[in-house]
Amino acid sequence: MPDDAFPAGPVVGPDSLVIDINGGGPGSPLLSVHIRPDAHNAGLAAAGKPTRYYFEPPRVTVATRSGSSDLDFSATVMLQAPVGPQPTYLGGSCTFACTAALPDGAAARIVEKLADHDHADPPARIASLFAHRDEGPEPELLMVPITANTVSCVVEHPPTGPGPLLMSVQGGPGGGIDIQARSSFLVSFSPAAAEAVVTNLRDAAAPPFLVRNVLTEQFNTGQATVFTDADIDIGKLHAVFAATVPPGEPWPDGDAAGSAYRAAVAAGAVTTRVTELRPAGASNGTAPTGTGTTPTVGPVLLDPAVSAWLSDTDELRKVVFRVAGDSLFDITAAAAPQPGQGGRLAPAWWSEVFGDAQVTLKSEPPTGGVHVSERLVTHGTVTVEHTIEGGLAEVAAAARTQLDKYLTLIAV
C-alpha cells in the first residue's frame, strides 16, 4: 500500500478551515475551531480509508468536577469577626482546574459538518486535502498532536487601585497532552486580593486570573521535503536578545526565548529562504505541501505566509540557538533549576539545546560582523508553539446564580 494511504499528521502551514460551533450552554457565543487536514488525506480517500482532520484547542476553560456539572472552582476567604458593613479581609485562597477540551458534543458536530461538506470553502492551498467522499467512510477527528504543554496562571493586576494584588500561585508548569488533560492550581490571597476576588464574584465577574497554555503542536510535511536556508547575524542577534533578557539574567524565564527568537526574525537578525521539493504536478502557491505523487520537482520557493510559518518552527529555533550558543551565552551546568528558571518550565525545544544548564547572555557583543549560514532539511514532522488562554469566564457566569457554591466566607 502506498505510503500516502496512511495518516501522517496535520499538514504544515498556517492555513486552516474554521468551523463555528456552540460554545456550550444556552446563550453561549459561537466557538471558532481551527481544523487542519491530514497531509495524506488525498491518498487516504483514494484508498477508500477515512480521511482524517485535526482540531486545535481553541481556548482554556474551567473544568467540571468529576461526576458533576459544577465547575471545579472553590474560593475560601477569611474575614475578621465580628463582620460589619465594611468587613476586614484577612486573606484566603482558591483552587481550580482548567482544561483545553472541546465542549461536550462538539467533536461529533464538527465531524457531521465535515462529512456533509457543511462549511466554508477551505483555503486554496489545502482545499484538495478536504478529500472526504460522500460514499466513503465517516471522517475521523482528532486533536492536533501535542508533544508538550507548559501551563501558567498569571494574576492580572487592576489598572487602578491601591497597589498590586499579592497572590502566590502553585500548580503547573507541566500540563497534560491529551484532549481531557486537566491543570490544577492553588492561589493564595493577600487581604487586598481576597477583597478583590470576593468583589468580582459578587459582581458576577471573573477572578483576576489568566491561565495560559503554551502547546507544542506537531505537524507533517507529507511527501515533500522542505529546505530552510538561514543567515544568522551574530552581532545583531546579541542586540535583540539583550533587549529581551538583559546580560547576566537567567534564561529562558518562561516563553522569553520564543519571544526573543521572533523578535530576531522581525529585526532581520535571522533571515530565511524556504524552498520545497514538492510532488510533480503541484502548482506553486496553490497545492499544499505533501500532496500529489512522485516524482518530485523543485526546489520551489514557498508562499511567503507558509515560509514565515515554517521559519517559526521549533526545529529552526534549535538551529539558531545551537549556532549562537557559544558566541552569545555563558552556559554553566546546573544540578537544579536556577532562580528565574525554576518558576516556569522551559520550552521543550530549549531543553533539547541547553538541558537544565544555567544560561546567561554575555555582557559584550561579538565583534567583526560575523554571519553564520545554516541549512535545515525537514521531511516529516515539525513542531510549533501555539498559545491558548482563558480568563475563568465560566466562573463569572456561574456566580450569577450559584455564588454560595463557589465562594465560602469564614469569620475568624
Side-chain angles (χ1 to χ4, degrees):
M1 186 174 292
D3 289 343
D4 64 352
F6 296 94
V11 66
V12 298
D15 302 298
S16 63
L17 170 70
V18 179
I19 293 182
D20 293 327
I21 58 171
N22 187 281
S28 297
L30 291 177
L31 181 64
S32 297
V33 183
H34 288 258
I35 307 297
R36 296 176 178 270
D38 193 274
H40 285 171
N41 264 355
L44 292 170
K49 302 176 74 172
T51 52
R52 180 173 289 184
Y53 304 89
Y54 305 84
F55 71 89
E56 285 189 294
R59 62 180 184 179
V60 178
T61 60
V62 179
T64 56
R65 294 170 180 161
S66 178
S68 170
S69 60
D70 294 340
L71 297 176
D72 193 349
F73 176 93
S74 178
T76 301
V77 171
M78 293 173 289
L79 309 172
Q80 182 175 306
V83 179
Q86 300 295 327
T88 299
Y89 291 86
L90 302 178
S93 64
C94 79
T95 61
F96 62 95
C98 289
T99 179
L102 292 178
D104 290 342
R109 295 196 294 274
I110 293 173
V111 169
E112 183 178 1
K113 287 180 175 290
L114 290 169
D116 296 341
H117 302 284
D118 179 21
H119 52 71
D121 292 336
R125 193 186 70 88
I126 61 172
S128 64
L129 294 180
F130 285 82
H132 171 70
R133 300 177 180 181
D134 293 338
E135 69 278 7
E138 184 176 83
E140 297 177 340
L141 181 69
L142 286 73
M143 185 172 68
V144 168
I146 306 295
T147 62
N149 177 13
T150 304
V151 184
S152 60
C153 176
V154 181
V155 176
E156 295 188 299
H157 297 302
T160 60
L165 303 181
L166 299 179
M167 303 189 189
S168 61
V169 180
Q170 299 178 43
I177 60 175
D178 62 89
I179 187 173
Q180 299 296 339
R182 297 161 63 101
S183 299
S184 298
F185 296 92
L186 167 63
V187 184
S188 301
F189 307 146
S190 67
E195 181 176 3
V197 169
V198 172
T199 300
N200 279 24
L201 291 174
R202 285 177 170 169
D203 292 342
F209 313 143
L210 179 70
V211 177
R212 179 178 294 122
N213 285 34
V214 182
L215 307 172
T216 302
E217 300 179 344
Q218 184 172 281
F219 298 83
N220 198 282
T221 64
Q223 298 178 35
T225 300
V226 177
F227 303 94
T228 304
D229 293 292
D231 179 82
I232 304 165
D233 185 327
I234 299 297
K236 187 178 290 187
L237 196 61
H238 183 280
V240 174
F241 285 179
T244 304
V245 179
E249 293 189 11
W251 285 61
D253 192 20
D255 56 1
S259 299
Y261 171 82
R262 296 185 184 96
V265 173
V270 178
T271 58
T272 59
R273 181 178 186 273
V274 186
T275 56
E276 173 188 81
L277 196 65
R278 62 172 51 181
S283 58
N284 185 28
T286 58
T289 298
T291 61
T293 58
T294 54
T296 56
V297 295
V300 178
L301 190 64
L302 287 183
D303 176 89
V306 182
S307 178
W309 188 92
L310 286 164
S311 295
D312 198 28
T313 60
D314 290 351
E315 282 67 24
L316 190 54
R317 290 193 193 97
K318 287 186 286 188
V319 167
V320 171
F321 277 83
R322 282 190 180 120
V323 167
D326 290 339
S327 300
L328 299 185
F329 295 110
D330 291 320
I331 304 169
T332 306
Q338 298 298 305
Q341 290 182 302
R344 293 182 181 177
L345 193 67
W349 62 268
W350 174 277
S351 298
E352 289 186 38
V353 178
F354 297 109
D356 62 356
Q358 180 180 6
V359 178
T360 57
L361 188 68
K362 294 179 184 292
S363 57
E364 295 297 327
T367 58
V370 177
H371 283 247
V372 179
S373 297
E374 290 286 326
R375 163 169 278 201
L376 174 65
V377 181
T378 307
H379 179 76
T381 60
V382 297
T383 55
V384 177
E385 289 182 356
H386 171 219
T387 300
I388 56 176
E389 298 178 336
L392 279 65
E394 301 80 20
V395 175
R400 288 187 176 92
T401 57
Q402 300 176 308
L403 179 61
D404 292 344
K405 186 176 289 186
Y406 300 106
L407 174 63
T408 301
L409 300 177
I410 301 175
V412 295

